Amino acid sequence: KKGDAQSPTKEAKLQLPLCTLSVQLEYTPSANDKRDSLYEKLNEVSKRKAAAIEKLRQSAAAVNRAKMAESDEGKGKGGNVVKAGFLNKSKPEAKAVPFWKRWYEKTIGPQSMMWVVGPIAKNYVIFIGCSVFFHYKGDLLALPPPV
C-alpha cells in the first residue's frame, strides 16, 4: 500500500480552472512624463528643422555658384545695373514750414486732433453737460402746479 500512496503524486492530474479573472490597467502619465515626452518631440523636430535649413543653405549656395559662373561666362566685363554710390546722394533739404500752416494742421486741419478725437468725445461732452445742467438747473424743467 505504500506504493499506492506514492503513485497518485507521480501521475499528472488534470486541473480545471475554477474562475477566469480579467484585469484592466490604465496608465495616466504625470505632468513630468508629459513634459519629457514633449521635450523629446521638440528635440526631434528641431533636429529635422536644422537639417532641412542646412540642406536649403547648401542648395542655395550651389545655385548661387552656378549663377555666378554663368554670368561670368556670358557677360564678360561691365554690365553693372546700379551705379556705384547711388545711396550717397544727398536729399534736398526740407524748407521750413510756415507757422500758420503748422498751426492749421495741428488745430483745425483735416488730420488735426479735433477731427480725430471730436466725434468720439462728442457723446461724453453731451452727457456731462446734461448731467451738470440737471443737477444745478433741474428746477427749470419742473412742471407748474395744477391750477
Side-chain angles (χ1 to χ4, degrees), residues 22-61:
S22 298
V23 178
Q24 183 178 0
L25 293 177
E26 206 171 294
Y27 172 70
T28 306
S30 67
N32 289 338
D33 292 339
K34 289 179 183 178
R35 187 180 324 116
D36 291 342
S37 66
L38 288 175
Y39 278 131
E40 288 173 5
K41 288 180 183 178
L42 178 65
N43 288 337
E44 291 173 14
V45 170
S46 296
K47 288 177 185 176
R48 284 197 319 240
K49 178 183 171 186
I53 289 174
E54 186 61 33
K55 186 176 179 182
L56 193 62
R57 282 185 187 142
Q58 290 173 355
S59 62

PDB file of all heavy atoms in Angstrom, residues 22-61:
ATOM      1  N   SER A  22     -10.267  38.818 -15.231  1.00  0.00           N
ATOM      2  CA  SER A  22      -9.798  39.792 -16.224  1.00  0.00           C
ATOM      3  C   SER A  22      -9.356  41.050 -15.493  1.00  0.00           C
ATOM      4  O   SER A  22     -10.088  41.590 -14.666  1.00  0.00           O
ATOM      5  CB  SER A  22     -10.911  40.164 -17.207  1.00  0.00           C
ATOM      6  OG  SER A  22     -11.321  39.021 -17.923  1.00  0.00           O
ATOM      7  N   VAL A  23      -8.172  41.532 -15.817  1.00  0.00           N
ATOM      8  CA  VAL A  23      -7.622  42.725 -15.177  1.00  0.00           C
ATOM      9  C   VAL A  23      -7.348  43.759 -16.260  1.00  0.00           C
ATOM     10  O   VAL A  23      -6.757  43.463 -17.285  1.00  0.00           O
ATOM     11  CB  VAL A  23      -6.313  42.389 -14.430  1.00  0.00           C
ATOM     12  CG1 VAL A  23      -5.713  43.640 -13.814  1.00  0.00           C
ATOM     13  CG2 VAL A  23      -6.562  41.344 -13.367  1.00  0.00           C
ATOM     14  N   GLN A  24      -7.809  44.956 -16.018  1.00  0.00           N
ATOM     15  CA  GLN A  24      -7.581  46.048 -16.967  1.00  0.00           C
ATOM     16  C   GLN A  24      -6.795  47.136 -16.245  1.00  0.00           C
ATOM     17  O   GLN A  24      -7.229  47.649 -15.220  1.00  0.00           O
ATOM     18  CB  GLN A  24      -8.909  46.612 -17.467  1.00  0.00           C
ATOM     19  CG  GLN A  24      -8.730  47.695 -18.498  1.00  0.00           C
ATOM     20  CD  GLN A  24     -10.079  48.210 -19.005  1.00  0.00           C
ATOM     21  OE1 GLN A  24     -11.116  47.757 -18.594  1.00  0.00           O
ATOM     22  NE2 GLN A  24     -10.019  49.155 -19.900  1.00  0.00           N
ATOM     23  N   LEU A  25      -5.633  47.485 -16.784  1.00  0.00           N
ATOM     24  CA  LEU A  25      -4.789  48.519 -16.206  1.00  0.00           C
ATOM     25  C   LEU A  25      -4.881  49.780 -17.050  1.00  0.00           C
ATOM     26  O   LEU A  25      -4.923  49.725 -18.269  1.00  0.00           O
ATOM     27  CB  LEU A  25      -3.337  48.051 -16.158  1.00  0.00           C
ATOM     28  CG  LEU A  25      -3.027  46.899 -15.210  1.00  0.00           C
ATOM     29  CD1 LEU A  25      -1.566  46.515 -15.332  1.00  0.00           C
ATOM     30  CD2 LEU A  25      -3.341  47.280 -13.784  1.00  0.00           C
ATOM     31  N   GLU A  26      -4.879  50.886 -16.384  1.00  0.00           N
ATOM     32  CA  GLU A  26      -4.928  52.166 -17.079  1.00  0.00           C
ATOM     33  C   GLU A  26      -3.773  53.009 -16.575  1.00  0.00           C
ATOM     34  O   GLU A  26      -3.579  53.132 -15.365  1.00  0.00           O
ATOM     35  CB  GLU A  26      -6.257  52.860 -16.769  1.00  0.00           C
ATOM     36  CG  GLU A  26      -6.684  53.819 -17.848  1.00  0.00           C
ATOM     37  CD  GLU A  26      -8.098  54.308 -17.587  1.00  0.00           C
ATOM     38  OE1 GLU A  26      -9.035  53.520 -17.652  1.00  0.00           O
ATOM     39  OE2 GLU A  26      -8.212  55.508 -17.305  1.00  0.00           O
ATOM     40  N   TYR A  27      -3.014  53.610 -17.517  1.00  0.00           N
ATOM     41  CA  TYR A  27      -1.854  54.418 -17.160  1.00  0.00           C
ATOM     42  C   TYR A  27      -2.134  55.876 -17.505  1.00  0.00           C
ATOM     43  O   TYR A  27      -2.449  56.210 -18.629  1.00  0.00           O
ATOM     44  CB  TYR A  27      -0.615  53.928 -17.919  1.00  0.00           C
ATOM     45  CG  TYR A  27       0.586  54.821 -17.745  1.00  0.00           C
ATOM     46  CD1 TYR A  27       1.261  54.899 -16.539  1.00  0.00           C
ATOM     47  CD2 TYR A  27       1.032  55.621 -18.799  1.00  0.00           C
ATOM     48  CE1 TYR A  27       2.358  55.716 -16.389  1.00  0.00           C
ATOM     49  CE2 TYR A  27       2.130  56.440 -18.653  1.00  0.00           C
ATOM     50  CZ  TYR A  27       2.788  56.475 -17.442  1.00  0.00           C
ATOM     51  OH  TYR A  27       3.868  57.299 -17.294  1.00  0.00           O
ATOM     52  N   THR A  28      -2.021  56.725 -16.533  1.00  0.00           N
ATOM     53  CA  THR A  28      -2.153  58.159 -16.756  1.00  0.00           C
ATOM     54  C   THR A  28      -0.796  58.788 -16.474  1.00  0.00           C
ATOM     55  O   THR A  28      -0.318  58.750 -15.338  1.00  0.00           O
ATOM     56  CB  THR A  28      -3.212  58.763 -15.809  1.00  0.00           C
ATOM     57  OG1 THR A  28      -4.415  58.045 -15.964  1.00  0.00           O
ATOM     58  CG2 THR A  28      -3.439  60.226 -16.122  1.00  0.00           C
ATOM     59  N   PRO A  29      -0.152  59.358 -17.508  1.00  0.00           N
ATOM     60  CA  PRO A  29       1.185  59.920 -17.287  1.00  0.00           C
ATOM     61  C   PRO A  29       1.118  61.178 -16.428  1.00  0.00           C
ATOM     62  O   PRO A  29       0.152  61.953 -16.484  1.00  0.00           O
ATOM     63  CB  PRO A  29       1.678  60.243 -18.694  1.00  0.00           C
ATOM     64  CG  PRO A  29       0.450  60.359 -19.514  1.00  0.00           C
ATOM     65  CD  PRO A  29      -0.576  59.467 -18.891  1.00  0.00           C
ATOM     66  N   SER A  30       2.144  61.356 -15.643  1.00  0.00           N
ATOM     67  CA  SER A  30       2.217  62.535 -14.792  1.00  0.00           C
ATOM     68  C   SER A  30       2.612  63.751 -15.635  1.00  0.00           C
ATOM     69  O   SER A  30       2.959  63.632 -16.805  1.00  0.00           O
ATOM     70  CB  SER A  30       3.229  62.313 -13.666  1.00  0.00           C
ATOM     71  OG  SER A  30       4.529  62.226 -14.210  1.00  0.00           O
ATOM     72  N   ALA A  31       2.579  64.900 -15.011  1.00  0.00           N
ATOM     73  CA  ALA A  31       2.940  66.135 -15.713  1.00  0.00           C
ATOM     74  C   ALA A  31       4.399  66.087 -16.172  1.00  0.00           C
ATOM     75  O   ALA A  31       4.728  66.545 -17.269  1.00  0.00           O
ATOM     76  CB  ALA A  31       2.707  67.340 -14.816  1.00  0.00           C
ATOM     77  N   ASN A  32       5.274  65.523 -15.346  1.00  0.00           N
ATOM     78  CA  ASN A  32       6.692  65.423 -15.717  1.00  0.00           C
ATOM     79  C   ASN A  32       6.872  64.494 -16.906  1.00  0.00           C
ATOM     80  O   ASN A  32       7.675  64.775 -17.802  1.00  0.00           O
ATOM     81  CB  ASN A  32       7.522  64.922 -14.537  1.00  0.00           C
ATOM     82  CG  ASN A  32       7.653  65.970 -13.448  1.00  0.00           C
ATOM     83  OD1 ASN A  32       7.500  67.153 -13.712  1.00  0.00           O
ATOM     84  ND2 ASN A  32       7.916  65.539 -12.229  1.00  0.00           N
ATOM     85  N   ASP A  33       6.133  63.366 -16.933  1.00  0.00           N
ATOM     86  CA  ASP A  33       6.229  62.450 -18.067  1.00  0.00           C
ATOM     87  C   ASP A  33       5.746  63.124 -19.348  1.00  0.00           C
ATOM     88  O   ASP A  33       6.354  62.979 -20.408  1.00  0.00           O
ATOM     89  CB  ASP A  33       5.403  61.181 -17.817  1.00  0.00           C
ATOM     90  CG  ASP A  33       5.991  60.334 -16.692  1.00  0.00           C
ATOM     91  OD1 ASP A  33       7.191  60.505 -16.406  1.00  0.00           O
ATOM     92  OD2 ASP A  33       5.243  59.517 -16.127  1.00  0.00           O
ATOM     93  N   LYS A  34       4.645  63.866 -19.247  1.00  0.00           N
ATOM     94  CA  LYS A  34       4.130  64.580 -20.419  1.00  0.00           C
ATOM     95  C   LYS A  34       5.146  65.598 -20.914  1.00  0.00           C
ATOM     96  O   LYS A  34       5.394  65.727 -22.110  1.00  0.00           O
ATOM     97  CB  LYS A  34       2.816  65.286 -20.076  1.00  0.00           C
ATOM     98  CG  LYS A  34       1.650  64.349 -19.877  1.00  0.00           C
ATOM     99  CD  LYS A  34       0.412  65.137 -19.515  1.00  0.00           C
ATOM    100  CE  LYS A  34      -0.768  64.228 -19.226  1.00  0.00           C
ATOM    101  NZ  LYS A  34      -1.955  64.976 -18.820  1.00  0.00           N
ATOM    102  N   ARG A  35       5.733  66.341 -19.969  1.00  0.00           N
ATOM    103  CA  ARG A  35       6.707  67.360 -20.338  1.00  0.00           C
ATOM    104  C   ARG A  35       7.922  66.728 -21.001  1.00  0.00           C
ATOM    105  O   ARG A  35       8.427  67.219 -22.008  1.00  0.00           O
ATOM    106  CB  ARG A  35       7.126  68.162 -19.105  1.00  0.00           C
ATOM    107  CG  ARG A  35       8.004  69.343 -19.445  1.00  0.00           C
ATOM    108  CD  ARG A  35       8.457  70.184 -18.248  1.00  0.00           C
ATOM    109  NE  ARG A  35       7.500  70.314 -17.195  1.00  0.00           N
ATOM    110  CZ  ARG A  35       7.676  69.830 -15.942  1.00  0.00           C
ATOM    111  NH1 ARG A  35       8.772  69.196 -15.620  1.00  0.00           N
ATOM    112  NH2 ARG A  35       6.758  70.002 -15.017  1.00  0.00           N
ATOM    113  N   ASP A  36       8.387  65.607 -20.428  1.00  0.00           N
ATOM    114  CA  ASP A  36       9.548  64.923 -21.007  1.00  0.00           C
ATOM    115  C   ASP A  36       9.259  64.444 -22.421  1.00  0.00           C
ATOM    116  O   ASP A  36      10.107  64.579 -23.317  1.00  0.00           O
ATOM    117  CB  ASP A  36       9.956  63.742 -20.125  1.00  0.00           C
ATOM    118  CG  ASP A  36      10.542  64.193 -18.799  1.00  0.00           C
ATOM    119  OD1 ASP A  36      10.949  65.373 -18.703  1.00  0.00           O
ATOM    120  OD2 ASP A  36      10.584  63.367 -17.860  1.00  0.00           O
ATOM    121  N   SER A  37       8.077  63.882 -22.642  1.00  0.00           N
ATOM    122  CA  SER A  37       7.751  63.412 -23.994  1.00  0.00           C
ATOM    123  C   SER A  37       7.651  64.579 -24.969  1.00  0.00           C
ATOM    124  O   SER A  37       8.095  64.479 -26.119  1.00  0.00           O
ATOM    125  CB  SER A  37       6.451  62.607 -23.981  1.00  0.00           C
ATOM    126  OG  SER A  37       5.360  63.422 -23.644  1.00  0.00           O
ATOM    127  N   LEU A  38       7.093  65.700 -24.503  1.00  0.00           N
ATOM    128  CA  LEU A  38       7.015  66.875 -25.373  1.00  0.00           C
ATOM    129  C   LEU A  38       8.407  67.412 -25.698  1.00  0.00           C
ATOM    130  O   LEU A  38       8.671  67.832 -26.832  1.00  0.00           O
ATOM    131  CB  LEU A  38       6.160  67.959 -24.728  1.00  0.00           C
ATOM    132  CG  LEU A  38       4.655  67.686 -24.691  1.00  0.00           C
ATOM    133  CD1 LEU A  38       3.931  68.776 -23.924  1.00  0.00           C
ATOM    134  CD2 LEU A  38       4.094  67.575 -26.088  1.00  0.00           C
ATOM    135  N   TYR A  39       9.313  67.410 -24.712  1.00  0.00           N
ATOM    136  CA  TYR A  39      10.678  67.860 -24.973  1.00  0.00           C
ATOM    137  C   TYR A  39      11.376  66.948 -25.975  1.00  0.00           C
ATOM    138  O   TYR A  39      12.116  67.412 -26.839  1.00  0.00           O
ATOM    139  CB  TYR A  39      11.490  67.934 -23.680  1.00  0.00           C
ATOM    140  CG  TYR A  39      11.259  69.197 -22.886  1.00  0.00           C
ATOM    141  CD1 TYR A  39      10.984  69.150 -21.527  1.00  0.00           C
ATOM    142  CD2 TYR A  39      11.323  70.443 -23.496  1.00  0.00           C
ATOM    143  CE1 TYR A  39      10.776  70.301 -20.801  1.00  0.00           C
ATOM    144  CE2 TYR A  39      11.113  71.596 -22.782  1.00  0.00           C
ATOM    145  CZ  TYR A  39      10.844  71.520 -21.434  1.00  0.00           C
ATOM    146  OH  TYR A  39      10.634  72.659 -20.715  1.00  0.00           O
ATOM    147  N   GLU A  40      11.133  65.654 -25.870  1.00  0.00           N
ATOM    148  CA  GLU A  40      11.742  64.720 -26.822  1.00  0.00           C
ATOM    149  C   GLU A  40      11.240  64.992 -28.237  1.00  0.00           C
ATOM    150  O   GLU A  40      12.005  65.025 -29.194  1.00  0.00           O
ATOM    151  CB  GLU A  40      11.427  63.277 -26.415  1.00  0.00           C
ATOM    152  CG  GLU A  40      12.177  62.827 -25.176  1.00  0.00           C
ATOM    153  CD  GLU A  40      11.729  61.456 -24.695  1.00  0.00           C
ATOM    154  OE1 GLU A  40      10.896  60.818 -25.375  1.00  0.00           O
ATOM    155  OE2 GLU A  40      12.214  61.034 -23.634  1.00  0.00           O
ATOM    156  N   LYS A  41       9.913  65.213 -28.365  1.00  0.00           N
ATOM    157  CA  LYS A  41       9.351  65.518 -29.685  1.00  0.00           C
ATOM    158  C   LYS A  41       9.905  66.835 -30.215  1.00  0.00           C
ATOM    159  O   LYS A  41      10.214  66.958 -31.402  1.00  0.00           O
ATOM    160  CB  LYS A  41       7.831  65.577 -29.616  1.00  0.00           C
ATOM    161  CG  LYS A  41       7.184  64.227 -29.433  1.00  0.00           C
ATOM    162  CD  LYS A  41       5.681  64.350 -29.368  1.00  0.00           C
ATOM    163  CE  LYS A  41       5.031  63.009 -29.119  1.00  0.00           C
ATOM    164  NZ  LYS A  41       3.576  63.125 -29.017  1.00  0.00           N
ATOM    165  N   LEU A  42      10.024  67.826 -29.323  1.00  0.00           N
ATOM    166  CA  LEU A  42      10.578  69.120 -29.732  1.00  0.00           C
ATOM    167  C   LEU A  42      12.011  68.972 -30.219  1.00  0.00           C
ATOM    168  O   LEU A  42      12.402  69.573 -31.233  1.00  0.00           O
ATOM    169  CB  LEU A  42      10.507  70.107 -28.568  1.00  0.00           C
ATOM    170  CG  LEU A  42      11.081  71.493 -28.816  1.00  0.00           C
ATOM    171  CD1 LEU A  42      10.265  72.215 -29.874  1.00  0.00           C
ATOM    172  CD2 LEU A  42      11.112  72.294 -27.534  1.00  0.00           C
ATOM    173  N   ASN A  43      12.801  68.170 -29.511  1.00  0.00           N
ATOM    174  CA  ASN A  43      14.190  67.950 -29.931  1.00  0.00           C
ATOM    175  C   ASN A  43      14.251  67.277 -31.296  1.00  0.00           C
ATOM    176  O   ASN A  43      15.069  67.650 -32.139  1.00  0.00           O
ATOM    177  CB  ASN A  43      14.931  67.112 -28.892  1.00  0.00           C
ATOM    178  CG  ASN A  43      15.218  67.905 -27.632  1.00  0.00           C
ATOM    179  OD1 ASN A  43      15.263  69.128 -27.654  1.00  0.00           O
ATOM    180  ND2 ASN A  43      15.383  67.212 -26.520  1.00  0.00           N
ATOM    181  N   GLU A  44      13.386  66.283 -31.529  1.00  0.00           N
ATOM    182  CA  GLU A  44      13.365  65.619 -32.826  1.00  0.00           C
ATOM    183  C   GLU A  44      13.016  66.597 -33.945  1.00  0.00           C
ATOM    184  O   GLU A  44      13.666  66.630 -34.992  1.00  0.00           O
ATOM    185  CB  GLU A  44      12.350  64.471 -32.809  1.00  0.00           C
ATOM    186  CG  GLU A  44      12.754  63.303 -31.943  1.00  0.00           C
ATOM    187  CD  GLU A  44      11.645  62.271 -31.830  1.00  0.00           C
ATOM    188  OE1 GLU A  44      10.690  62.340 -32.629  1.00  0.00           O
ATOM    189  OE2 GLU A  44      11.745  61.399 -30.962  1.00  0.00           O
ATOM    190  N   VAL A  45      11.989  67.404 -33.704  1.00  0.00           N
ATOM    191  CA  VAL A  45      11.560  68.369 -34.712  1.00  0.00           C
ATOM    192  C   VAL A  45      12.641  69.421 -34.942  1.00  0.00           C
ATOM    193  O   VAL A  45      12.889  69.828 -36.084  1.00  0.00           O
ATOM    194  CB  VAL A  45      10.217  69.019 -34.291  1.00  0.00           C
ATOM    195  CG1 VAL A  45       9.863  70.180 -35.183  1.00  0.00           C
ATOM    196  CG2 VAL A  45       9.107  67.979 -34.312  1.00  0.00           C
ATOM    197  N   SER A  46      13.298  69.846 -33.877  1.00  0.00           N
ATOM    198  CA  SER A  46      14.370  70.843 -34.020  1.00  0.00           C
ATOM    199  C   SER A  46      15.520  70.286 -34.843  1.00  0.00           C
ATOM    200  O   SER A  46      16.102  70.994 -35.673  1.00  0.00           O
ATOM    201  CB  SER A  46      14.875  71.267 -32.644  1.00  0.00           C
ATOM    202  OG  SER A  46      13.855  71.908 -31.924  1.00  0.00           O
ATOM    203  N   LYS A  47      15.858  69.006 -34.620  1.00  0.00           N
ATOM    204  CA  LYS A  47      16.930  68.402 -35.406  1.00  0.00           C
ATOM    205  C   LYS A  47      16.550  68.316 -36.872  1.00  0.00           C
ATOM    206  O   LYS A  47      17.358  68.601 -37.762  1.00  0.00           O
ATOM    207  CB  LYS A  47      17.247  67.004 -34.865  1.00  0.00           C
ATOM    208  CG  LYS A  47      17.965  67.027 -33.535  1.00  0.00           C
ATOM    209  CD  LYS A  47      18.180  65.623 -33.009  1.00  0.00           C
ATOM    210  CE  LYS A  47      18.797  65.650 -31.619  1.00  0.00           C
ATOM    211  NZ  LYS A  47      18.917  64.292 -31.061  1.00  0.00           N
ATOM    212  N   ARG A  48      15.294  67.921 -37.143  1.00  0.00           N
ATOM    213  CA  ARG A  48      14.844  67.860 -38.538  1.00  0.00           C
ATOM    214  C   ARG A  48      14.856  69.242 -39.176  1.00  0.00           C
ATOM    215  O   ARG A  48      15.227  69.406 -40.335  1.00  0.00           O
ATOM    216  CB  ARG A  48      13.434  67.263 -38.611  1.00  0.00           C
ATOM    217  CG  ARG A  48      13.404  65.777 -38.417  1.00  0.00           C
ATOM    218  CD  ARG A  48      12.105  65.176 -38.887  1.00  0.00           C
ATOM    219  NE  ARG A  48      10.938  65.949 -38.542  1.00  0.00           N
ATOM    220  CZ  ARG A  48       9.927  65.512 -37.788  1.00  0.00           C
ATOM    221  NH1 ARG A  48       9.951  64.288 -37.306  1.00  0.00           N
ATOM    222  NH2 ARG A  48       8.897  66.273 -37.532  1.00  0.00           N
ATOM    223  N   LYS A  49      14.429  70.257 -38.407  1.00  0.00           N
ATOM    224  CA  LYS A  49      14.412  71.625 -38.928  1.00  0.00           C
ATOM    225  C   LYS A  49      15.828  72.097 -39.248  1.00  0.00           C
ATOM    226  O   LYS A  49      16.074  72.685 -40.307  1.00  0.00           O
ATOM    227  CB  LYS A  49      13.764  72.552 -37.907  1.00  0.00           C
ATOM    228  CG  LYS A  49      13.724  74.002 -38.318  1.00  0.00           C
ATOM    229  CD  LYS A  49      13.142  74.847 -37.215  1.00  0.00           C
ATOM    230  CE  LYS A  49      13.290  76.306 -37.514  1.00  0.00           C
ATOM    231  NZ  LYS A  49      12.873  77.146 -36.400  1.00  0.00           N
ATOM    232  N   ALA A  50      16.765  71.832 -38.343  1.00  0.00           N
ATOM    233  CA  ALA A  50      18.149  72.248 -38.563  1.00  0.00           C
ATOM    234  C   ALA A  50      18.716  71.551 -39.793  1.00  0.00           C
ATOM    235  O   ALA A  50      19.427  72.176 -40.599  1.00  0.00           O
ATOM    236  CB  ALA A  50      18.988  71.947 -37.331  1.00  0.00           C
ATOM    237  N   ALA A  51      18.401  70.255 -39.951  1.00  0.00           N
ATOM    238  CA  ALA A  51      18.894  69.525 -41.117  1.00  0.00           C
ATOM    239  C   ALA A  51      18.298  70.086 -42.404  1.00  0.00           C
ATOM    240  O   ALA A  51      18.996  70.246 -43.406  1.00  0.00           O
ATOM    241  CB  ALA A  51      18.563  68.037 -40.978  1.00  0.00           C
ATOM    242  N   ALA A  52      16.994  70.431 -42.373  1.00  0.00           N
ATOM    243  CA  ALA A  52      16.349  70.994 -43.563  1.00  0.00           C
ATOM    244  C   ALA A  52      16.928  72.355 -43.909  1.00  0.00           C
ATOM    245  O   ALA A  52      17.158  72.663 -45.087  1.00  0.00           O
ATOM    246  CB  ALA A  52      14.840  71.100 -43.325  1.00  0.00           C
ATOM    247  N   ILE A  53      17.187  73.177 -42.901  1.00  0.00           N
ATOM    248  CA  ILE A  53      17.754  74.510 -43.154  1.00  0.00           C
ATOM    249  C   ILE A  53      19.158  74.376 -43.730  1.00  0.00           C
ATOM    250  O   ILE A  53      19.528  75.099 -44.659  1.00  0.00           O
ATOM    251  CB  ILE A  53      17.750  75.355 -41.862  1.00  0.00           C
ATOM    252  CG1 ILE A  53      16.314  75.740 -41.509  1.00  0.00           C
ATOM    253  CG2 ILE A  53      18.618  76.586 -41.998  1.00  0.00           C
ATOM    254  CD1 ILE A  53      16.175  76.446 -40.178  1.00  0.00           C
ATOM    255  N   GLU A  54      19.931  73.451 -43.184  1.00  0.00           N
ATOM    256  CA  GLU A  54      21.287  73.254 -43.700  1.00  0.00           C
ATOM    257  C   GLU A  54      21.261  72.771 -45.143  1.00  0.00           C
ATOM    258  O   GLU A  54      22.023  73.249 -45.987  1.00  0.00           O
ATOM    259  CB  GLU A  54      22.040  72.257 -42.818  1.00  0.00           C
ATOM    260  CG  GLU A  54      23.484  72.092 -43.181  1.00  0.00           C
ATOM    261  CD  GLU A  54      24.273  73.382 -43.050  1.00  0.00           C
ATOM    262  OE1 GLU A  54      23.957  74.206 -42.169  1.00  0.00           O
ATOM    263  OE2 GLU A  54      25.206  73.576 -43.855  1.00  0.00           O
ATOM    264  N   LYS A  55      20.353  71.869 -45.440  1.00  0.00           N
ATOM    265  CA  LYS A  55      20.226  71.379 -46.816  1.00  0.00           C
ATOM    266  C   LYS A  55      19.795  72.514 -47.747  1.00  0.00           C
ATOM    267  O   LYS A  55      20.307  72.649 -48.868  1.00  0.00           O
ATOM    268  CB  LYS A  55      19.196  70.248 -46.859  1.00  0.00           C
ATOM    269  CG  LYS A  55      19.092  69.566 -48.195  1.00  0.00           C
ATOM    270  CD  LYS A  55      18.122  68.403 -48.122  1.00  0.00           C
ATOM    271  CE  LYS A  55      17.983  67.731 -49.473  1.00  0.00           C
ATOM    272  NZ  LYS A  55      17.019  66.635 -49.441  1.00  0.00           N
ATOM    273  N   LEU A  56      18.893  73.357 -47.281  1.00  0.00           N
ATOM    274  CA  LEU A  56      18.444  74.502 -48.073  1.00  0.00           C
ATOM    275  C   LEU A  56      19.589  75.476 -48.320  1.00  0.00           C
ATOM    276  O   LEU A  56      19.737  76.008 -49.431  1.00  0.00           O
ATOM    277  CB  LEU A  56      17.284  75.189 -47.343  1.00  0.00           C
ATOM    278  CG  LEU A  56      16.470  76.198 -48.113  1.00  0.00           C
ATOM    279  CD1 LEU A  56      15.788  75.519 -49.290  1.00  0.00           C
ATOM    280  CD2 LEU A  56      15.442  76.836 -47.214  1.00  0.00           C
ATOM    281  N   ARG A  57      20.411  75.726 -47.297  1.00  0.00           N
ATOM    282  CA  ARG A  57      21.555  76.624 -47.467  1.00  0.00           C
ATOM    283  C   ARG A  57      22.533  76.073 -48.489  1.00  0.00           C
ATOM    284  O   ARG A  57      23.054  76.823 -49.326  1.00  0.00           O
ATOM    285  CB  ARG A  57      22.274  76.802 -46.132  1.00  0.00           C
ATOM    286  CG  ARG A  57      21.597  77.750 -45.196  1.00  0.00           C
ATOM    287  CD  ARG A  57      22.427  77.972 -43.959  1.00  0.00           C
ATOM    288  NE  ARG A  57      21.679  78.760 -42.992  1.00  0.00           N
ATOM    289  CZ  ARG A  57      21.702  78.579 -41.695  1.00  0.00           C
ATOM    290  NH1 ARG A  57      22.450  77.622 -41.180  1.00  0.00           N
ATOM    291  NH2 ARG A  57      20.998  79.334 -40.893  1.00  0.00           N
ATOM    292  N   GLN A  58      22.772  74.768 -48.415  1.00  0.00           N
ATOM    293  CA  GLN A  58      23.706  74.159 -49.358  1.00  0.00           C
ATOM    294  C   GLN A  58      23.188  74.252 -50.787  1.00  0.00           C
ATOM    295  O   GLN A  58      23.931  74.585 -51.711  1.00  0.00           O
ATOM    296  CB  GLN A  58      23.959  72.695 -48.983  1.00  0.00           C
ATOM    297  CG  GLN A  58      24.759  72.537 -47.717  1.00  0.00           C
ATOM    298  CD  GLN A  58      24.856  71.086 -47.284  1.00  0.00           C
ATOM    299  OE1 GLN A  58      24.253  70.212 -47.879  1.00  0.00           O
ATOM    300  NE2 GLN A  58      25.633  70.847 -46.218  1.00  0.00           N
ATOM    301  N   SER A  59      21.893  74.004 -50.965  1.00  0.00           N
ATOM    302  CA  SER A  59      21.336  74.089 -52.320  1.00  0.00           C
ATOM    303  C   SER A  59      21.333  75.529 -52.823  1.00  0.00           C
ATOM    304  O   SER A  59      21.592  75.791 -53.997  1.00  0.00           O
ATOM    305  CB  SER A  59      19.933  73.490 -52.368  1.00  0.00           C
ATOM    306  OG  SER A  59      19.062  74.212 -51.536  1.00  0.00           O
ATOM    307  N   ALA A  60      21.053  76.496 -51.934  1.00  0.00           N
ATOM    308  CA  ALA A  60      21.076  77.908 -52.333  1.00  0.00           C
ATOM    309  C   ALA A  60      22.497  78.326 -52.718  1.00  0.00           C
ATOM    310  O   ALA A  60      22.695  79.060 -53.695  1.00  0.00           O
ATOM    311  CB  ALA A  60      20.553  78.788 -51.213  1.00  0.00           C
ATOM    312  N   ALA A  61      23.481  77.841 -51.967  1.00  0.00           N
ATOM    313  CA  ALA A  61      24.867  78.173 -52.297  1.00  0.00           C
ATOM    314  C   ALA A  61      25.246  77.573 -53.648  1.00  0.00           C
ATOM    315  O   ALA A  61      25.929  78.226 -54.456  1.00  0.00           O
ATOM    316  CB  ALA A  61      25.800  77.666 -51.200  1.00  0.00           C
TER     317      ALA A  61
END
